[in-house]
Amino acid sequence: MNSTPSGAGREAWRYYWTQYRSSRGRMAAVVVASVAASFLCLPIVLLVRVVFDSYLPSGDLRGVSLAAAGIFAASLAGAAVVFWIRRTTLVITKSVILELRCRLEERLYQLPRALFSSGDHLQLHDTIVQDTERIDVMSNAVVAQALPAALVAATLTLVLLHMNWLLTAVLLAVAPVTIGFNRWLRGRLKNDIRRFRAAFESFSRGVLFLLEAIDLTRLQSAEAAELARQRRTAEVLRGASLRMAWFDTLFQLSQSTLSVAASLAILLVGGMAVASHRMTVGDLLAFYVTVRLLNAQTNTLISSVPQIMTGAQALADVHALLIHGAEEPYNGSGSLDFRGEVELRNVSFSYVPGRWVLRHADLRIAPGEILALVGPNGCGKSSIVWLLCGFYRPQEGSVLADGTAYDELDLRQLRRRLGVVPQDPLLFPGTVRESIAYGRPQASDQQIREAAEWSTAYASIEAMEQGFETPIGADGQMISGGQRQRIAIARALLGRPRLLILDEPTNHLDAAAIGTLMTNLRQLPQRPAILLVSHDPRIFEYCDRMYRMPADGQDAIERQRTKENVR
C-alpha cells in the first residue's frame, strides 16, 4: 500500500473533525466533564497529605477512616464522570461512523462503472468495510480515551507545578527522551501497519476468491494447489502481524520503563527533600499520588497511539474515495416523460484509449418497436447496452432519449423507465417475491403476480412448495436457470418499462417458452420498445428490425429486417 502524503493526511483529518459539528454541544460537555474529572483528583491528593502529615502522626484513626472514605467517594465520583464521558463519546462516534458508512455507500452510486472493474470493487469493499471499522476503533481511542485523558493530564500537570515545581521539572526531564523515542518508534510502527493492512487485504481477497471459485477448484481438482496458495498468503499475513505486534509491545514496554524511571527520580529527589526538611512526607506522597494519577492518563494516551495510527491511514483512504475525482458519465438534471425512443448517433467508444469497441455506430429504437441486436462475441453488443443505460459515455457522438441528449437528463430518473435483464441476472438470497419486487417495495401482490404472468414465471412459481414465498438461495442457486431468467424478466416488467432490454433471453428457454414470452411482451398493455441482444436465430421472427454488429470493429451497419431476409 502506498504511503499517504502528509497534505492529504491533514485534509483527511480536517474532514474527519467536521463530522463532529452536529455534536459540538455534547463535545463541549465532554470537555467540561473531563476537566471536572481531573479536579475530582484534588480531594484525593489533599486527603493523602492530611493522612500522612496529621492523622497518622497523631494516631487519629477516626480521621484516617474518614479520609479513606473521602478518597473512596472521590474515586467513585470520578469513575461515574468517566463512565458518562465514555458513554457520551461512544454515542457521538458511533453516529459519526454510521453517517460515514452511509456516505461511502451513497458515493458508490456517483462513481463511474469503470471503477468497479478489474478488481477495483474489492478495494472499494475493503475501504467501506474494513477501513471504516478501523476508523471506528480510532474514533473510540481519540474521542472517548485520548481527548479526555489529555485534558485530565494537562490539569494534573498544572496541579503538580503548583505543588512542587522542582519535582515537576524532574518529571518533565524525561519528556525529550520520550518524545524522541516515540517519534522513531511511530515511524517504524507506521510502516508495519501499512504492511499488515496490505497483507490483510490480500488474505481477505484470497478468502473471497476461495468462496466464489469453490466449484471451479473442485472441478479442476485444484484443491491442493489452491490451499497452498492461500497458505502462502496467510503466512505473509502472519509475518506482518507478528512484526506489528512486536513493535507495539516494544512501544508499550518502553513507555512503562520511562514511567518507572521518572517515578524513581521523583522518589529519589523527593526523598532528599524530605530528609533535608524541605518537604513533608505527606507532601511527597501527595505529589507521588498525583504523578500516579497522571501516569494513568498518559498510559491511556500511549495505548491509543497504535489504534490512532492504524485509523489515520484508513481515514486517508476513506477520504480519498469520498473526494475521488471520477464521477458518473452524465450529471444532467432534466426530466422526461420517456416514451421509449433511444438513439446512438455517430457513436465511437472504447474502454482503453486506441482500442475501439464501436466506430461511428448509429442505432435508433422507436417507441413500441422490437429490435434484435446481433453479432459475434466481442463485437460490442454489451457495450451498446451499457451506453444506453448511461453507465459509460462515448468518446465521440451522443446518446439520446426521445431526442434529448443524455447530458441534459437525470439518468437515475430515466433508468426508472428502463427494464434491463443481463445475460446472467443477479438474484438475492431471499424469496421469489423479494427478488421480483427489488427496488419497488411498494409493489402490490397483484402487480407482482401480473409481472410473473407476463414473464411466463407464474406457473413455475405456483408449482413451488411455498409459491412466491419460496426461498431461492444466494443468487438463485436453489432454482433452475430457466426460473432465474423468468424471475429476472418479471422484476424488469414490474416497473412497467418504456424500454425493455433483454440480453440473451433464450439461454435457458426452449422454443415454446420463447414463443410464449414474445407473445406476452407484444400484448403488454403499455407495450415497451424492446431491444433483444442475441445470437439465437429463433428470436428474429419476433422482431421488427435487426441491427447486425460487425466483427472487426469498423463502422456498424443497420439492416432493415423483413420476413424474407431473416428467414
Side-chain angles (χ1 to χ4, degrees), residues 421 455 484-494 502 505 517:
V421 181
S455 70
R484 292 175 69 249
Q485 191 84 6
R486 291 178 173 93
I487 289 172
I489 295 173
R491 180 171 62 195
L493 293 176
L494 182 62
L502 304 178
L517 173 63

Side-chain angles (χ1 to χ4, degrees), residues 97-399:
I97 296 302
L98 168 65
E99 294 301 321
L100 183 61
R101 283 169 171 156
C102 292
R103 195 168 293 117
L104 284 168
E105 291 176 339
E106 181 181 349
R107 178 67 177 143
L108 294 181
Y109 292 106
Q110 300 169 353
L111 298 173
R113 185 177 185 272
L115 198 64
F116 297 87
S117 60
S118 303
D120 286 345
H121 65 285
L122 296 176
Q123 180 63 52
L124 292 171
H125 174 273
D126 292 341
T127 299
I128 295 174
V129 176
Q130 296 177 11
D131 282 345
T132 55
E133 178 62 23
R134 295 178 182 118
I135 295 173
D136 191 1
V137 174
M138 179 195 73
S139 297
N140 180 56
V142 171
V143 181
Q145 299 177 32
L147 179 59
L151 291 170
V152 174
T155 304
L156 290 175
T157 301
L158 294 176
V159 171
L160 289 173
L161 282 170
H162 177 74
M163 294 175 68
N164 192 304
W165 68 267
L166 179 60
L167 289 182
T168 305
V170 172
L171 176 67
L172 296 178
V174 300
V177 178
T178 303
I179 293 172
F181 183 77
N182 287 351
R183 184 181 296 274
W184 172 81
L185 201 56
R186 280 200 306 268
R188 298 296 301 269
L189 188 58
K190 189 174 183 179
N191 292 329
D192 289 332
I193 288 171
R194 293 195 190 105
R195 295 190 188 96
F196 171 77
R197 288 191 61 196
F200 189 85
E201 289 168 2
S202 179
F203 175 73
S204 176
R205 295 178 184 186
V207 173
L208 183 61
F209 173 82
L210 194 70
L211 294 171
E212 292 177 342
I214 195 161
D215 288 342
L216 173 64
T217 304
R218 285 170 169 168
L219 289 172
Q220 295 295 114
S221 298
E223 292 93 338
E226 183 59 38
L227 288 173
R229 186 168 73 93
Q230 297 298 336
R231 183 179 181 83
R232 289 192 295 270
T233 304
E235 287 174 347
V236 172
L237 175 60
R238 170 184 175 274
S241 179
L242 276 175
R243 185 176 179 85
M244 189 176 71
W246 287 336
F247 273 101
D248 185 22
T249 302
L250 177 61
F251 183 79
Q252 303 291 342
L253 291 176
S254 66
Q255 306 309 310
S256 298
T257 302
L258 290 171
S259 176
V260 170
S263 299
L264 290 175
I266 290 170
L267 289 176
L268 179 62
V269 175
M272 294 173 63
V274 171
S276 61
H277 303 290
R278 287 181 286 113
M279 287 184 70
T280 65
V281 173
D283 289 336
L284 177 59
L285 288 176
F287 189 92
Y288 187 76
V289 168
T290 307
V291 169
R292 299 312 300 171
L293 293 173
L294 176 61
N295 186 61
Q297 303 303 319
T298 55
N299 284 339
T300 299
L301 284 168
I302 291 167
S303 64
S304 65
V305 169
Q307 298 168 338
I308 294 173
M309 292 177 63
T310 301
Q313 182 62 50
L315 177 62
D317 290 345
V318 166
H319 184 250
L321 176 58
L322 288 171
I323 64 170
H324 198 290
E327 298 287 345
E328 282 193 283
Y330 301 100
N331 293 291
S333 58
S335 60
L336 184 70
D337 186 14
F338 186 49
R339 297 182 299 113
E341 178 185 334
V342 289
E343 181 180 0
L344 301 183
R345 186 176 294 173
N346 195 29
V347 163
S348 296
F349 174 70
S350 67
Y351 296 100
V352 180
R355 296 172 57 183
W356 295 104
V357 178
L358 298 172
R359 290 289 288 167
H360 307 299
D362 290 295
L363 168 68
R364 178 180 177 274
I365 307 174
E369 181 181 33
I370 301 179
L371 182 138
L373 182 63
V374 300
N377 291 335
C379 69
K381 299 192 300 295
S382 294
S383 297
I384 286 181
V385 172
W386 300 136
L387 287 168
L388 291 175
C389 292
F391 289 166
Y392 294 95
R393 185 189 190 94
Q395 283 77 20
E396 298 176 7
S398 56
V399 186

